[in-house]
């Protein structure tokens, strides 16, 4: 018996384990200091009341023979897909309900979508990168190439026409950099994909944070229906990180190698996925109702205000960063030419503030640092005060 030796190619990523270890050591050595975590990658505010009410009603349905539900449809219930299509319509993008697959989240879909593509395709990711894109494809034995995002391109890597890629992951607004592509930049990527017969896997997990008119969907760009699949998530949009729900959009007309990618993905999901539970789908549909959207907006505004507090402070300090708007993430240059881990230690030791070293997200993250807006207002203000005192 042989194991999948592609696992040998995974680079051990101890980023969050190392952050936790160093933080715990500091806490043990300095019990008197209050540590503030600006590295949190999870939401902290509760679900919207109307969403929880729908989930409770969904549970109630399971209690009665007349309303009980068993296996859901692989692609999600129609009313949920209609609600998602309506949401797209609210920002001017046409997506048909029957092109939407409801899932248990964008992480699974990012990792599983390549199942429908051959192993010898080349995968391109922008660097720094959400690690799932890399690790899932390494496990499958694919070759990965990197397009560096850096200060020179404002952490928005653009295609190189001399490089040939088949599967391209784009994440906008980006984790970890918070940078969001403009419509013109996305049009260049769409053009590249069309010319190279490539597929864009467009991760829009943070689209709900967009505030400056940048596209909220790749399907806002002409030609994207011929070359893109979009993944999205209710995790950061509506606090579903623990509840689990996301969706993937595959245009019906999207074909490669003579095959409909929509049909291939349906076949893949029908084989390996048994759908999202009834109470969660009831809750998800409610997110996109009029009142649901209003209620989730309050939480989004709270995080966005925290992000503004952090980015305003960096403006005052004259520190270069991306994100802070359109995103819960702030990607800052480490001051004084410090390395990512050097700055991590400096901030922890001198301000008892924890962030995430940028180089943990890839080579191009060297010398950068990620802060997040998911802590409370009070703690964010306190941390920012300490950072300003330290770096002024
Ligand atoms: N995509 C990106 C870029 C993310 O940052 C995350 C979560 O942090 C996900 C996907 C995962 O989303 P989900 O919770 O829906 O699996």
């Amino acid at each position: 018996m042989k194991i999948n030796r592609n696992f040998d190619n995974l680079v051990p990523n101890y980023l969050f384990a190392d952050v936790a270890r160093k933080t715990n050591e500091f806490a043990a050595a300095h019990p008197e200091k209050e540590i503030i975590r600006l590295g949190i990658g999870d939401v902290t505010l509760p679900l919207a009341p109307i969403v929880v009410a729908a989930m409770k009603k969904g549970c109630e349905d399971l209690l009665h023979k007349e309303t009980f539900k068993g296996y859901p449809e692989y692609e999600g219930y129609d009313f949920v897909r209609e609600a998602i299509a309506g949401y797209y319509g609210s920002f001017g993008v046409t997506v048909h309900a029957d092109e939407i697959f409801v899932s248990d989240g964008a992480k699974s879909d990012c990792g599983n979508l390549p199942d429908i593509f051959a192993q010898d395709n080349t995968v391109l990711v922008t660097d720094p990168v959400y690690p799932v894109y890399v690790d899932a494809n390494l496990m499958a034995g694919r070759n990965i190439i990197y397009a560096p995002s850096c200060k020179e391109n404002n952490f928005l890597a653009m295609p190189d026409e001399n490089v040939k890629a088949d599967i391209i992951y784009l994440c906008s607004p980006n984790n970890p950099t918070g940078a969001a592509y403009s419509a013109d930049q996305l049009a260049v990527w769409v053009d590249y994909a069309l010319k190279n017969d490539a597929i864009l896997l467009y991760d829009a997990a943070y689209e709900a944070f967009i505030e400056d008119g940048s596209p909220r969907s790749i399907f806002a760009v002409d030609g994207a229906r011929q070359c893109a699949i979009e993944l999205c998530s209710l995790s950061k949009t509506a606090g579903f990180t623990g509840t689990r729900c996301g969706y993937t959009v595959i245009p019906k007309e999207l074909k490669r190698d003579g095959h409909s990618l929509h049909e291939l993905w349906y076949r893949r999901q029908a084989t390996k996925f048994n759908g999202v539970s009834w109470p969660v789908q009831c809750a998800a549909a409610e997110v996109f109702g009029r009142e649901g959207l209003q209620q989730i907006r309050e939480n989004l505004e709270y995080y966005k205000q925290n992000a503004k507090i952090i980015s305003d402070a960096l403006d005052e300090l004259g520190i270069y960063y991306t994100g802070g708007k359109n995103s819960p993430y702030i990607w800052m240059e480490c001051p004084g030419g410090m390395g990512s881990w050097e700055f991590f230690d400096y901030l922890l030791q001198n301000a008892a503030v924890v962030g995430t070293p940028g180089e943990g997200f890839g080579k191009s993250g060297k010398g950068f640092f990620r802060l997040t807006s998911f802590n409370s207002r009070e703690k964010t203000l306190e941390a920012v005060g300490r950072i300003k005192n330290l770096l002024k």
Side-chain angles (χ1 to χ4, degrees), residues 41 104-108 110 130 133 171 173-175 203 205-206 232-236 240-241 244-246 329:
D104 63 350
K107 188 179 198 174
S108 323
C110 293
Y130 177 55
Y133 312 152
C171 177
N174 189 271
N175 179 15
D203 187 340
Y206 298 95
C232 204
S233 168
L234 274 71
S235 284
K236 308 295 157 73
F240 273 53
T241 53
R244 310 304 307 140
C245 195
Y329 301 121

Side-chain angles (χ1 to χ4, degrees), residues 15-328:
L15 176 66
F16 290 102
D18 284 348
V19 165
R21 182 180 49 77
K22 281 176 176 259
T23 308
N24 292 340
E25 281 169 11
F26 178 81
H30 303 278
E32 75 291 355
K33 297 228 165 114
E34 188 216 0
I35 296 174
I36 302 180
R37 289 175 170 78
L38 289 192
I40 303 175
D42 196 354
V43 292
T44 50
L45 295 172
L47 292 174
I50 193 168
V51 169
V52 174
M55 203 184 303
K56 282 185 180 164
K57 162 81 174 52
C59 288
E60 188 66 28
D61 292 341
L62 301 182
L63 196 58
H64 308 285
K65 196 166 185 289
E66 300 72 32
T67 47
F68 172 76
K69 307 278 184 233
Y71 288 124
E73 281 138 26
Y74 303 121
E75 69 277 35
Y77 289 106
D78 285 347
F79 69 95
V80 185
R81 300 160 84 208
E82 294 288 351
I84 296 167
Y87 177 62
Y88 273 96
S90 74
F91 47 82
V93 172
T94 302
V95 155
H96 305 290
D98 63 0
E99 299 176 319
I100 297 168
F101 292 85
V102 178
S103 73
D104 63 350
K107 188 179 198 174
S108 323
D109 287 355
C110 293
N112 293 331
L113 269 161
D115 274 10
I116 65 173
F117 301 116
Q119 190 199 355
D120 57 1
N121 285 300
T122 297
V123 176
L124 183 142
V125 299
T126 60
D127 168 28
V129 61
Y130 177 55
V132 178
Y133 312 152
V134 172
D135 288 355
N137 283 288
L138 286 176
M139 287 174 191
R142 287 195 190 87
N143 180 37
I144 300 183
I145 52 178
Y146 296 84
S149 300
C150 49
K151 204 172 167 181
E152 288 65 43
N153 58 27
N154 276 321
F155 284 92
L156 292 165
M158 296 304 293
D160 175 347
E161 57 187 42
N162 301 313
V163 169
K164 169 87 178 90
D166 306 302
I167 302 169
I168 299 157
Y169 283 89
L170 292 181
C171 177
S172 179
N174 189 271
N175 179 15
T177 71
Y181 283 113
S182 68
D184 287 348
Q185 289 171 318
L186 288 179
V188 175
W189 275 109
V190 165
D191 193 45
Y192 172 92
L194 291 172
K195 279 192 185 127
N196 287 278
D197 200 33
I199 289 290
L200 300 176
L201 297 181
Y202 190 80
D203 187 340
Y206 298 95
E207 59 76 21
F209 288 82
I210 288 180
E211 62 194 36
D212 70 352
S214 301
R216 293 178 58 178
S217 164
I218 190 68
F219 299 119
V221 178
D222 282 347
R225 292 182 63 86
Q226 278 72 47
C227 66
I229 292 175
E230 180 156 295
L231 311 95
C232 204
S233 168
L234 274 71
S235 284
K236 308 295 157 73
T237 302
F240 273 53
T241 53
T243 310
R244 310 304 307 140
C245 195
Y247 48 93
T248 282
V249 182
I250 309 186
K252 284 275 179 79
E253 66 262 43
L254 184 58
K255 292 205 166 115
R256 283 297 178 275
D257 214 358
H259 285 79
S260 154
L261 300 190
H262 186 280
E263 283 173 18
L264 290 180
W265 183 240
Y266 182 87
R267 185 75 171 86
R268 189 271 171 211
Q269 291 295 77
T271 303
K272 294 195 187 179
F273 181 65
N274 249 342
V276 175
S277 75
W278 171 251
V280 169
Q281 291 205 53
C282 291
E286 206 59 46
V287 164
F288 300 111
R290 199 176 51 79
E291 212 172 319
L293 286 173
Q294 224 166 339
Q295 291 185 8
I296 63 163
R297 188 94 335 250
E298 287 172 26
N299 288 4
L300 288 166
E301 286 305 325
Y302 184 90
Y303 297 135
K304 279 153 68 101
Q305 189 58 33
N306 282 350
K308 184 165 175 353
I309 288 165
I310 300 169
S311 55
D312 282 352
L314 297 179
D315 282 334
E316 268 180 55
L317 292 164
I319 292 175
Y320 172 87
Y321 64 91
T322 52
K325 62 174 184 181
N326 299 327
S327 169

